[in-house]
């Protein structure tokens, strides 16, 4: 052969593509390498980078959607400041009556509920038997104050499994408060 097979990159891929007859013809030319065999690690590096990039793009897309709402509604809130150093899984935008207008894909991943199911509902559908009555009252009172706040609440997924959720509520305003932005993440 023109090239020494033992020095070929990706020899295993090449050999696996051969028929038995082709392999038998060249097998006597394959000599064991004197170097220590190491597993191919670059796939893991690529996968890690790829999935991190996908997550960053999803976050950028979510923030872009919030900015789009901000532009349409003429919010005076500084969106970039809201999301600076902000870790989140789910985003929810409601009107002042707390009817859901938009949720991100992270909402579906965290709760199991589809976007279409959530639209025009109030977030109360996420609460259940172990959701604290005191926490619900605090939520209502703090929403009425029209100031940003953070609470931890027990919510329920579509399959009825409970989870602790940190919810950061930010009133969005033009001249007056017109919407609420909920930034949520599961607390472990």
């Amino acid at each position: 052969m023109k090239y020494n097979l033992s020095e070929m990159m990706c020899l295993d891929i090449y050999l696996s593509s051969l028929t038995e007859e082709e392999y038998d013809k060249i097998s006597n030319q394959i000599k064991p390498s004197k170097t220590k065999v190491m597993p191919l690690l670059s796939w893991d590096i690529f996968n890690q980078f790829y999935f991190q990039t996908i997550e960053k793009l999803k976050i950028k897309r979510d923030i872009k959607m919030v900015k789009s709402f901000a532009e349409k509604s003429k919010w005076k809130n500084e969106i970039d400041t809201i999301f600076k150093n902000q870790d989140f899984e789910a985003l929810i935008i409601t009107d002042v009556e707390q009817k859901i207008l938009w949720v991100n894909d992270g909402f579906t991943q965290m709760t199991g509920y589809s976007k279409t199911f959530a639209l025009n509902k109030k977030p109360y559908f996420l609460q259940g038997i172990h959701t604290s009555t005191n926490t619900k009252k605090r939520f209502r009172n703090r929403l009425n104050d029209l100031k940003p706040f953070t609470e931890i609440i027990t919510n329920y997924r579509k399959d009825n499994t409970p989870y602790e959720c940190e919810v950061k509520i930010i009133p969005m305003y033009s001249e007056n408060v017109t919407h609420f932005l909920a930034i949520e993440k599961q607390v472990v």
Side-chain angles (χ1 to χ4, degrees):
M1 280 190 102
K2 188 175 180 182
Y3 300 104
N4 182 350
L5 287 177
S6 66
E7 293 177 11
M8 284 184 68
M9 299 294 242
C10 300
L11 177 61
D12 55 341
I13 295 172
Y14 169 73
L15 292 175
S16 67
S17 70
L18 298 177
T19 65
E20 263 187 67
E21 294 165 359
E22 292 171 325
Y23 179 79
D24 289 340
K25 286 180 186 176
I26 64 163
S27 62
N28 62 347
Q29 297 176 30
I30 301 172
K31 297 182 179 23
S33 175
K34 291 180 173 114
T35 60
K36 184 178 176 183
V37 177
M38 296 287 289
L40 183 62
L41 300 177
S42 63
W43 293 109
D44 287 341
I45 294 167
F46 171 78
N47 277 342
Q48 183 179 11
F49 174 75
Y50 174 76
F51 289 115
Q52 286 173 346
T53 302
I54 293 297
E55 285 305 310
K56 286 178 185 177
L57 289 173
K58 286 179 185 178
I59 289 169
K60 282 184 179 182
R61 182 189 63 210
D62 291 345
I63 293 171
K64 187 176 179 179
M65 282 299 297
V66 173
K67 286 181 176 181
S68 153
F69 269 93
E71 191 176 307
K72 288 178 193 172
S73 302
K74 298 182 180 14
W75 293 337
K76 293 181 181 178
N77 304 72
E78 184 55 49
I79 304 302
D80 289 327
T81 303
I82 290 171
F83 287 104
K84 187 175 183 172
N85 300 321
Q86 184 66 55
D87 190 25
F88 65 88
E89 293 173 62
L91 294 176
I92 303 170
I93 295 177
T94 69
D95 61 16
V96 284
E97 284 84 37
Q98 297 158 29
K99 285 187 181 173
I100 296 174
L101 303 176
W102 176 81
V103 296
N104 69 342
D105 291 336
F107 172 86
T108 299
Q109 291 170 343
M110 188 166 73
T111 68
Y113 289 102
S114 70
K115 291 179 174 189
T116 41
F117 178 85
L119 292 180
N120 295 313
K121 290 184 177 50
K122 293 186 178 189
Y124 307 133
F125 74 89
L126 295 168
Q127 299 170 4
I129 193 165
H130 294 295
T131 305
S132 164
T133 308
N134 290 334
T135 303
K136 289 191 247 184
K137 284 181 187 175
R138 268 196 319 274
F139 249 88
R140 279 192 296 275
N141 292 336
R142 294 183 90 181
L143 280 170
N144 291 334
D145 289 343
L146 301 177
K147 294 179 183 170
F149 68 92
T150 303
E151 281 282 345
I152 295 179
I153 189 167
T154 302
N155 278 342
Y156 286 80
R157 294 182 183 86
K158 186 176 181 181
D159 67 3
N160 284 324
T161 56
Y163 65 98
E164 295 297 308
C165 185
E166 179 185 89
V167 182
K168 183 175 187 177
I169 302 289
I170 300 165
M172 307 306 281
Y173 64 94
S174 49
E175 296 305 316
N176 298 310
V177 173
T178 60
H179 297 81
F180 292 102
L181 171 64
I183 301 173
E184 302 184 0
K185 66 180 176 180
Q186 187 172 338
V187 179
V188 182

